[in-house]
Amino acid sequence: GQQVMQIPQYQHVQEGEDFTTYCNSSTTLSNIQWYKQRPGGHPVFLIQLVKSGEVKKQKRLTFQFGEAKKNSSLHITATQTTDVGTYFCPAGGTSYGKLTFGQGTILTVHP
Amino acid sequence: NAGVTQTPKFQVLKTGQSMTLQCAQDMNHNSMYWYRQDPGMGLRLIYYSASEGTTDKGEVPNGYNVSRLNKREFSLRLESAAPSQTSVYFCASSGLQVSGANVLTFGAGSRLTVL
């Protein structure tokens, strides 16, 4: 898999505030995926981005892939307590799915 | 329910003991993986199997061995457990979705403590 850096490592927000996490790579990525892991749970696939400049939405979540395919972002509008967890953006590199995960961004939402 | 099943969910070992973590998937996926997760370290790949009959080292293979028993099962063995292997272990398998994405499906995790 290709290595990406994710920032911030931690984010605390009040419920209702927006939240954004960023993933950056020094090399062009073939694709990027996003996973969410709830506290005490396992990572769950959210979405994959493949095309340059791609934007995908899932309810309050907006995913973007940069024009140069070197960065990606996840934006959550009006956070809820159910958004709590760690968000990962592993990048692809093999045809069979091997992915390299970084530290992720740990999101805490205060009610 | 289709998915990845790993056992045991919890295990406490003494230093030097051995054990095997079992993993099975029923999604007919070719590829399977073992990750470990430690606080502040994210998920690190231990070993993977791109297809039945093949296994390869990941980022942190030392102290572990794996066996791809058949297409469904991929086990992780600790021959002589050390306190540094205290972690949460996740098994995963990957397969193509209708969207074209090669997606990882994770098991619920196995929490291992080595005293």
PDB file of all heavy atoms in Angstrom, chain B residues 62-83:
ATOM      1  N   ASN B  62       7.660  -9.982  12.903  1.00  0.00           N
ATOM      2  CA  ASN B  62       8.512 -10.684  13.866  1.00  0.00           C
ATOM      3  C   ASN B  62       7.718 -11.203  15.053  1.00  0.00           C
ATOM      4  O   ASN B  62       6.949 -10.472  15.679  1.00  0.00           O
ATOM      5  CB  ASN B  62       9.635  -9.760  14.343  1.00  0.00           C
ATOM      6  CG  ASN B  62      10.633  -9.463  13.244  1.00  0.00           C
ATOM      7  OD1 ASN B  62      10.647 -10.137  12.209  1.00  0.00           O
ATOM      8  ND2 ASN B  62      11.448  -8.456  13.444  1.00  0.00           N
ATOM      9  N   GLY B  63       7.921 -12.480  15.372  1.00  0.00           N
ATOM     10  CA  GLY B  63       7.246 -13.102  16.501  1.00  0.00           C
ATOM     11  C   GLY B  63       5.946 -13.794  16.140  1.00  0.00           C
ATOM     12  O   GLY B  63       5.281 -14.363  17.011  1.00  0.00           O
ATOM     13  N   TYR B  64       5.610 -13.762  14.855  1.00  0.00           N
ATOM     14  CA  TYR B  64       4.357 -14.346  14.393  1.00  0.00           C
ATOM     15  C   TYR B  64       4.595 -15.322  13.238  1.00  0.00           C
ATOM     16  O   TYR B  64       5.549 -15.177  12.484  1.00  0.00           O
ATOM     17  CB  TYR B  64       3.389 -13.271  13.903  1.00  0.00           C
ATOM     18  CG  TYR B  64       3.095 -12.184  14.896  1.00  0.00           C
ATOM     19  CD1 TYR B  64       3.813 -10.993  14.874  1.00  0.00           C
ATOM     20  CD2 TYR B  64       2.081 -12.328  15.833  1.00  0.00           C
ATOM     21  CE1 TYR B  64       3.546  -9.979  15.779  1.00  0.00           C
ATOM     22  CE2 TYR B  64       1.805 -11.315  16.741  1.00  0.00           C
ATOM     23  CZ  TYR B  64       2.543 -10.141  16.701  1.00  0.00           C
ATOM     24  OH  TYR B  64       2.260  -9.137  17.603  1.00  0.00           O
ATOM     25  N   ASN B  65       3.683 -16.269  13.122  1.00  0.00           N
ATOM     26  CA  ASN B  65       3.616 -17.119  11.938  1.00  0.00           C
ATOM     27  C   ASN B  65       2.162 -17.225  11.514  1.00  0.00           C
ATOM     28  O   ASN B  65       1.254 -17.049  12.335  1.00  0.00           O
ATOM     29  CB  ASN B  65       4.164 -18.517  12.232  1.00  0.00           C
ATOM     30  CG  ASN B  65       5.675 -18.519  12.317  1.00  0.00           C
ATOM     31  OD1 ASN B  65       6.364 -18.144  11.380  1.00  0.00           O
ATOM     32  ND2 ASN B  65       6.195 -18.932  13.463  1.00  0.00           N
ATOM     33  N   VAL B  66       1.949 -17.521  10.244  1.00  0.00           N
ATOM     34  CA  VAL B  66       0.580 -17.644   9.745  1.00  0.00           C
ATOM     35  C   VAL B  66       0.440 -18.912   8.930  1.00  0.00           C
ATOM     36  O   VAL B  66       1.427 -19.474   8.434  1.00  0.00           O
ATOM     37  CB  VAL B  66       0.160 -16.441   8.872  1.00  0.00           C
ATOM     38  CG1 VAL B  66       0.001 -15.180   9.705  1.00  0.00           C
ATOM     39  CG2 VAL B  66       1.141 -16.226   7.737  1.00  0.00           C
ATOM     40  N   SER B  67      -0.812 -19.323   8.801  1.00  0.00           N
ATOM     41  CA  SER B  67      -1.139 -20.458   7.937  1.00  0.00           C
ATOM     42  C   SER B  67      -2.424 -20.137   7.198  1.00  0.00           C
ATOM     43  O   SER B  67      -3.425 -19.778   7.836  1.00  0.00           O
ATOM     44  CB  SER B  67      -1.344 -21.737   8.759  1.00  0.00           C
ATOM     45  OG  SER B  67      -0.161 -22.127   9.397  1.00  0.00           O
ATOM     46  N   ARG B  68      -2.358 -20.253   5.874  1.00  0.00           N
ATOM     47  CA  ARG B  68      -3.595 -20.133   5.087  1.00  0.00           C
ATOM     48  C   ARG B  68      -4.069 -21.554   4.861  1.00  0.00           C
ATOM     49  O   ARG B  68      -3.622 -22.252   3.963  1.00  0.00           O
ATOM     50  CB  ARG B  68      -3.325 -19.427   3.760  1.00  0.00           C
ATOM     51  CG  ARG B  68      -4.582 -19.192   2.933  1.00  0.00           C
ATOM     52  CD  ARG B  68      -5.431 -18.106   3.502  1.00  0.00           C
ATOM     53  NE  ARG B  68      -6.668 -17.908   2.780  1.00  0.00           N
ATOM     54  CZ  ARG B  68      -6.848 -17.022   1.790  1.00  0.00           C
ATOM     55  NH1 ARG B  68      -5.832 -16.267   1.396  1.00  0.00           N
ATOM     56  NH2 ARG B  68      -8.022 -16.900   1.221  1.00  0.00           N
ATOM     57  N   LEU B  69      -4.950 -22.001   5.712  1.00  0.00           N
ATOM     58  CA  LEU B  69      -5.364 -23.395   5.758  1.00  0.00           C
ATOM     59  C   LEU B  69      -6.156 -23.791   4.519  1.00  0.00           C
ATOM     60  O   LEU B  69      -6.040 -24.918   4.019  1.00  0.00           O
ATOM     61  CB  LEU B  69      -6.189 -23.637   7.018  1.00  0.00           C
ATOM     62  CG  LEU B  69      -5.474 -23.235   8.326  1.00  0.00           C
ATOM     63  CD1 LEU B  69      -6.432 -23.278   9.493  1.00  0.00           C
ATOM     64  CD2 LEU B  69      -4.278 -24.141   8.569  1.00  0.00           C
ATOM     65  N   ASN B  70      -6.959 -22.905   4.047  1.00  0.00           N
ATOM     66  CA  ASN B  70      -7.757 -23.080   2.836  1.00  0.00           C
ATOM     67  C   ASN B  70      -8.257 -21.697   2.447  1.00  0.00           C
ATOM     68  O   ASN B  70      -7.822 -20.701   3.051  1.00  0.00           O
ATOM     69  CB  ASN B  70      -8.921 -24.052   3.080  1.00  0.00           C
ATOM     70  CG  ASN B  70      -9.664 -23.733   4.352  1.00  0.00           C
ATOM     71  OD1 ASN B  70     -10.140 -22.605   4.510  1.00  0.00           O
ATOM     72  ND2 ASN B  70      -9.758 -24.684   5.268  1.00  0.00           N
ATOM     73  N   LYS B  71      -9.160 -21.593   1.500  1.00  0.00           N
ATOM     74  CA  LYS B  71      -9.589 -20.273   1.067  1.00  0.00           C
ATOM     75  C   LYS B  71     -10.300 -19.517   2.179  1.00  0.00           C
ATOM     76  O   LYS B  71     -10.239 -18.300   2.268  1.00  0.00           O
ATOM     77  CB  LYS B  71     -10.498 -20.390  -0.157  1.00  0.00           C
ATOM     78  CG  LYS B  71     -10.789 -19.059  -0.816  1.00  0.00           C
ATOM     79  CD  LYS B  71     -11.512 -19.227  -2.136  1.00  0.00           C
ATOM     80  CE  LYS B  71     -11.665 -17.877  -2.817  1.00  0.00           C
ATOM     81  NZ  LYS B  71     -12.348 -17.993  -4.124  1.00  0.00           N
ATOM     82  N   ARG B  72     -10.974 -20.228   3.061  1.00  0.00           N
ATOM     83  CA  ARG B  72     -11.777 -19.594   4.099  1.00  0.00           C
ATOM     84  C   ARG B  72     -10.981 -19.178   5.320  1.00  0.00           C
ATOM     85  O   ARG B  72     -11.327 -18.222   5.993  1.00  0.00           O
ATOM     86  CB  ARG B  72     -12.888 -20.551   4.564  1.00  0.00           C
ATOM     87  CG  ARG B  72     -13.985 -20.831   3.597  1.00  0.00           C
ATOM     88  CD  ARG B  72     -15.060 -21.677   4.280  1.00  0.00           C
ATOM     89  NE  ARG B  72     -15.706 -20.960   5.366  1.00  0.00           N
ATOM     90  CZ  ARG B  72     -15.596 -21.277   6.656  1.00  0.00           C
ATOM     91  NH1 ARG B  72     -14.838 -22.297   7.041  1.00  0.00           N
ATOM     92  NH2 ARG B  72     -16.226 -20.581   7.593  1.00  0.00           N
ATOM     93  N   GLU B  73      -9.915 -19.923   5.648  1.00  0.00           N
ATOM     94  CA  GLU B  73      -9.302 -19.783   6.969  1.00  0.00           C
ATOM     95  C   GLU B  73      -7.854 -19.299   6.914  1.00  0.00           C
ATOM     96  O   GLU B  73      -7.054 -19.766   6.094  1.00  0.00           O
ATOM     97  CB  GLU B  73      -9.362 -21.128   7.698  1.00  0.00           C
ATOM     98  CG  GLU B  73     -10.778 -21.621   7.937  1.00  0.00           C
ATOM     99  CD  GLU B  73     -10.791 -23.028   8.481  1.00  0.00           C
ATOM    100  OE1 GLU B  73     -10.499 -23.980   7.712  1.00  0.00           O
ATOM    101  OE2 GLU B  73     -11.074 -23.188   9.686  1.00  0.00           O
ATOM    102  N   PHE B  74      -7.541 -18.394   7.829  1.00  0.00           N
ATOM    103  CA  PHE B  74      -6.201 -17.811   7.913  1.00  0.00           C
ATOM    104  C   PHE B  74      -5.885 -17.640   9.390  1.00  0.00           C
ATOM    105  O   PHE B  74      -6.502 -16.826  10.077  1.00  0.00           O
ATOM    106  CB  PHE B  74      -6.209 -16.457   7.196  1.00  0.00           C
ATOM    107  CG  PHE B  74      -4.865 -15.820   6.998  1.00  0.00           C
ATOM    108  CD1 PHE B  74      -3.742 -16.563   6.680  1.00  0.00           C
ATOM    109  CD2 PHE B  74      -4.728 -14.434   7.095  1.00  0.00           C
ATOM    110  CE1 PHE B  74      -2.512 -15.959   6.471  1.00  0.00           C
ATOM    111  CE2 PHE B  74      -3.506 -13.820   6.888  1.00  0.00           C
ATOM    112  CZ  PHE B  74      -2.392 -14.579   6.575  1.00  0.00           C
ATOM    113  N   SER B  75      -4.924 -18.407   9.890  1.00  0.00           N
ATOM    114  CA  SER B  75      -4.638 -18.369  11.323  1.00  0.00           C
ATOM    115  C   SER B  75      -3.324 -17.652  11.603  1.00  0.00           C
ATOM    116  O   SER B  75      -2.412 -17.623  10.768  1.00  0.00           O
ATOM    117  CB  SER B  75      -4.595 -19.791  11.896  1.00  0.00           C
ATOM    118  OG  SER B  75      -3.551 -20.521  11.301  1.00  0.00           O
ATOM    119  N   LEU B  76      -3.242 -17.080  12.793  1.00  0.00           N
ATOM    120  CA  LEU B  76      -2.054 -16.353  13.242  1.00  0.00           C
ATOM    121  C   LEU B  76      -1.542 -17.020  14.505  1.00  0.00           C
ATOM    122  O   LEU B  76      -2.286 -17.197  15.469  1.00  0.00           O
ATOM    123  CB  LEU B  76      -2.411 -14.890  13.550  1.00  0.00           C
ATOM    124  CG  LEU B  76      -1.276 -14.009  14.080  1.00  0.00           C
ATOM    125  CD1 LEU B  76      -0.269 -13.712  12.971  1.00  0.00           C
ATOM    126  CD2 LEU B  76      -1.826 -12.698  14.643  1.00  0.00           C
ATOM    127  N   ARG B  77      -0.265 -17.392  14.526  1.00  0.00           N
ATOM    128  CA  ARG B  77       0.291 -18.102  15.666  1.00  0.00           C
ATOM    129  C   ARG B  77       1.395 -17.291  16.328  1.00  0.00           C
ATOM    130  O   ARG B  77       2.273 -16.736  15.649  1.00  0.00           O
ATOM    131  CB  ARG B  77       0.822 -19.473  15.252  1.00  0.00           C
ATOM    132  CG  ARG B  77       1.378 -20.273  16.416  1.00  0.00           C
ATOM    133  CD  ARG B  77       1.447 -21.751  16.118  1.00  0.00           C
ATOM    134  NE  ARG B  77       2.026 -22.482  17.242  1.00  0.00           N
ATOM    135  CZ  ARG B  77       1.311 -22.905  18.291  1.00  0.00           C
ATOM    136  NH1 ARG B  77       0.012 -22.658  18.380  1.00  0.00           N
ATOM    137  NH2 ARG B  77       1.905 -23.588  19.264  1.00  0.00           N
ATOM    138  N   LEU B  78       1.320 -17.246  17.652  1.00  0.00           N
ATOM    139  CA  LEU B  78       2.391 -16.691  18.462  1.00  0.00           C
ATOM    140  C   LEU B  78       3.098 -17.865  19.115  1.00  0.00           C
ATOM    141  O   LEU B  78       2.507 -18.575  19.934  1.00  0.00           O
ATOM    142  CB  LEU B  78       1.842 -15.768  19.551  1.00  0.00           C
ATOM    143  CG  LEU B  78       1.310 -14.394  19.135  1.00  0.00           C
ATOM    144  CD1 LEU B  78       0.013 -14.506  18.347  1.00  0.00           C
ATOM    145  CD2 LEU B  78       1.101 -13.524  20.374  1.00  0.00           C
ATOM    146  N   GLU B  79       4.331 -18.123  18.742  1.00  0.00           N
ATOM    147  CA  GLU B  79       5.048 -19.301  19.243  1.00  0.00           C
ATOM    148  C   GLU B  79       5.517 -19.115  20.682  1.00  0.00           C
ATOM    149  O   GLU B  79       5.483 -20.038  21.478  1.00  0.00           O
ATOM    150  CB  GLU B  79       6.255 -19.606  18.342  1.00  0.00           C
ATOM    151  CG  GLU B  79       5.881 -20.108  16.962  1.00  0.00           C
ATOM    152  CD  GLU B  79       5.273 -21.506  16.983  1.00  0.00           C
ATOM    153  OE1 GLU B  79       5.270 -22.162  18.051  1.00  0.00           O
ATOM    154  OE2 GLU B  79       4.777 -21.947  15.917  1.00  0.00           O
ATOM    155  N   SER B  80       5.966 -17.917  21.012  1.00  0.00           N
ATOM    156  CA  SER B  80       6.460 -17.638  22.361  1.00  0.00           C
ATOM    157  C   SER B  80       6.076 -16.196  22.689  1.00  0.00           C
ATOM    158  O   SER B  80       6.805 -15.263  22.353  1.00  0.00           O
ATOM    159  CB  SER B  80       7.980 -17.814  22.418  1.00  0.00           C
ATOM    160  OG  SER B  80       8.460 -17.527  23.720  1.00  0.00           O
ATOM    161  N   ALA B  81       4.919 -16.048  23.301  1.00  0.00           N
ATOM    162  CA  ALA B  81       4.349 -14.718  23.487  1.00  0.00           C
ATOM    163  C   ALA B  81       5.229 -13.824  24.355  1.00  0.00           C
ATOM    164  O   ALA B  81       5.852 -14.281  25.334  1.00  0.00           O
ATOM    165  CB  ALA B  81       2.961 -14.829  24.100  1.00  0.00           C
ATOM    166  N   ALA B  82       5.256 -12.542  24.001  1.00  0.00           N
ATOM    167  CA  ALA B  82       6.001 -11.533  24.745  1.00  0.00           C
ATOM    168  C   ALA B  82       5.054 -10.394  25.108  1.00  0.00           C
ATOM    169  O   ALA B  82       4.066 -10.157  24.400  1.00  0.00           O
ATOM    170  CB  ALA B  82       7.147 -11.001  23.890  1.00  0.00           C
ATOM    171  N   PRO B  83       5.343  -9.676  26.196  1.00  0.00           N
ATOM    172  CA  PRO B  83       4.469  -8.557  26.589  1.00  0.00           C
ATOM    173  C   PRO B  83       4.261  -7.533  25.473  1.00  0.00           C
ATOM    174  O   PRO B  83       3.196  -6.914  25.395  1.00  0.00           O
ATOM    175  CB  PRO B  83       5.211  -7.953  27.782  1.00  0.00           C
ATOM    176  CG  PRO B  83       5.940  -9.105  28.384  1.00  0.00           C
ATOM    177  CD  PRO B  83       6.380  -9.936  27.214  1.00  0.00           C
TER     178      PRO B  83
END
